[in-house]
Amino acid sequence: MLRILFAARSERWDQYQGPLTQALAKVGLDAQLGTDLPPETIDYIVYAPNSHITDFTPFKRLKAVLNLWAGVEDVAGNPTLTVPLARMIEDGLTEGMTEWVTAHVLRHHLDLDIHIIRQDGTWDDRPPPLARDRTVAVLGLGQLGGAVATALAALNFRVLGWSRRPKTLHGIDTRSGAGGLAQTLGEAEIVVLLLPLTTETDGILDADRFAALRPGAVLLNPGRGGLVDDDALIAALDNGHLGHATLDVFRTEPLPADHPFWAHPGITVTPHIASATRVQTASEAIAVNIVRAEAGEPLKGLVDRHAGY
């Protein structure tokens, strides 16, 4: 019998206990799932970085850690974790992110805010541009970024994709490296941030990078709050170079009520809802990954510990 420790906050256990138990049984795993099992007996840990576990050394027979979130920056560098680590990859995350980004790209592309807010009797019948005349850049072409870029291209946007290492994605004009980033920022009218947060990407959109943007460009950040230099963002909005920023993630969450983002007319705040882990599909993904591990197959979402994602 496999022993699986669920290491997350108590409210998560209440949500996951039933669906995860059912998912494990559905794939034929003989497993004991619990929140208080002897460390030396544990085979797998279903893990949230805000749980109580920070030292993995007591788990002598541990085979892998399965993260409940897509982001692993809070655990990937833990020196006590020496077994494989998998980030969450599940359909609900991907679909939710694609829907949020597509909605806000279309919102800014069609200038919907003007028509929704300005109900003042002004009849402005200028037609909006077509998607084929709008350039959207997706920074980060992993599981989520790749899906988002593909969906936007299917709507006929001209999509640029940037990643730190070269990647090829059908229908997407892909670039990489520092030169590729500068070129991409200079061409894009809407920029979507979906990079992982690492020491290399922390604050990647700083004052210099904002200055490199095409004047009037719009920023969407549903990726990681730490990707953006907050002060540089506000400065770029205040000087008119950046047109608008729609932000779903922040350096401090929940975003403090007195944070200047809330009151800034050039910023839209959404409360980290772009891509949430769905309990049912996440449970199924965890169960399938454990089956893969038991069969000696590589985990889906296996984290490159050196790269940090």
Side-chain angles (χ1 to χ4, degrees):
M1 174 182 289
L2 295 175
R3 286 176 170 80
I4 303 169
L5 179 68
F6 189 89
R9 291 181 175 174
S10 58
E11 61 268 23
R12 292 296 184 193
W13 174 243
D14 294 339
Q15 296 169 348
Y16 275 90
Q17 182 181 9
L20 187 51
T21 299
Q22 294 169 9
L24 293 168
K26 184 177 179 180
V27 296
L29 287 173
D30 182 17
Q32 179 185 5
L33 175 67
T35 59
D36 189 24
L37 304 175
E40 66 277 5
T41 69
I42 302 301
D43 296 289
Y44 296 94
I45 299 178
V46 178
Y47 182 76
N50 62 0
S51 75
H52 66 283
I53 296 177
T54 57
D55 181 5
F56 292 91
T57 54
F59 301 95
K60 303 299 183 183
R61 58 184 279 178
L62 187 63
K63 299 176 183 178
V65 171
L66 309 172
N67 208 51
L68 274 176
W69 307 342
V72 294
E73 61 270 12
D74 292 330
V75 64
N78 189 319
T80 70
L81 181 58
T82 58
V83 299
L85 168 67
R87 65 184 181 276
M88 176 58 69
I89 293 180
E90 56 100 0
D91 291 344
L93 276 173
T94 304
E95 291 172 24
M97 181 62 77
T98 301
E99 292 172 10
W100 187 95
V101 172
T102 300
H104 286 284
V105 166
L106 287 170
R107 167 195 161 209
H108 291 294
H109 165 61
L110 297 172
D111 243 346
L112 293 182
D113 287 4
I114 291 176
H115 298 289
I116 291 169
I117 296 169
R118 193 185 66 188
Q119 298 288 306
D120 60 358
T122 301
W123 186 266
D124 185 352
D125 60 357
R126 288 174 296 177
L130 296 172
R132 67 187 181 198
D133 299 320
R134 181 81 70 187
T135 300
V136 182
V138 179
L139 308 187
L141 296 175
Q143 180 78 16
L144 298 177
V148 164
T150 300
L152 293 173
L155 290 173
N156 215 26
F157 286 102
R158 177 185 178 232
V159 181
L160 311 178
W162 183 85
S163 53
R164 287 184 296 162
R165 290 176 286 193
K167 288 189 176 181
T168 300
L169 198 59
H170 178 70
I172 311 300
D173 181 356
T174 58
R175 292 94 178 265
S176 62
L181 179 57
Q183 180 186 11
T184 300
L185 293 175
E187 295 180 32
E189 296 165 272
I190 300 174
V191 176
V192 182
L193 268 183
L194 281 170
L195 292 161
L197 182 61
T198 68
T199 54
E200 294 181 4
T201 62
D202 193 341
I204 191 169
L205 276 197
D206 57 12
D208 290 340
R209 297 264 167 65
F210 279 117
L213 282 170
R214 182 170 174 165
V218 169
L219 172 68
L220 308 183
N221 185 15
R224 293 287 177 266
L227 298 171
V228 175
D229 180 323
D230 291 356
D231 293 337
L233 169 62
I234 290 177
L237 287 166
D238 289 347
N239 67 28
H241 189 72
L242 185 64
H244 195 91
T246 295
L247 310 174
D248 185 62
V249 289
F250 309 92
R251 288 182 178 270
T252 301
E253 294 187 4
L255 187 67
D258 60 351
H259 196 286
F261 283 174
W262 285 110
H264 199 290
I267 296 176
T268 301
V269 170
T270 64
H272 204 146
I273 56 171
S275 186
T277 304
R278 269 64 176 183
V279 172
Q280 187 64 46
T281 47
S283 296
E284 293 166 0
I286 290 167
V288 168
N289 238 359
I290 292 175
V291 170
R292 292 176 65 90
E294 288 296 294
E297 299 174 6
L299 294 168
K300 288 187 176 180
L302 183 65
V303 172
D304 179 340
R305 307 289 283 281
H306 178 72
Y309 60 92

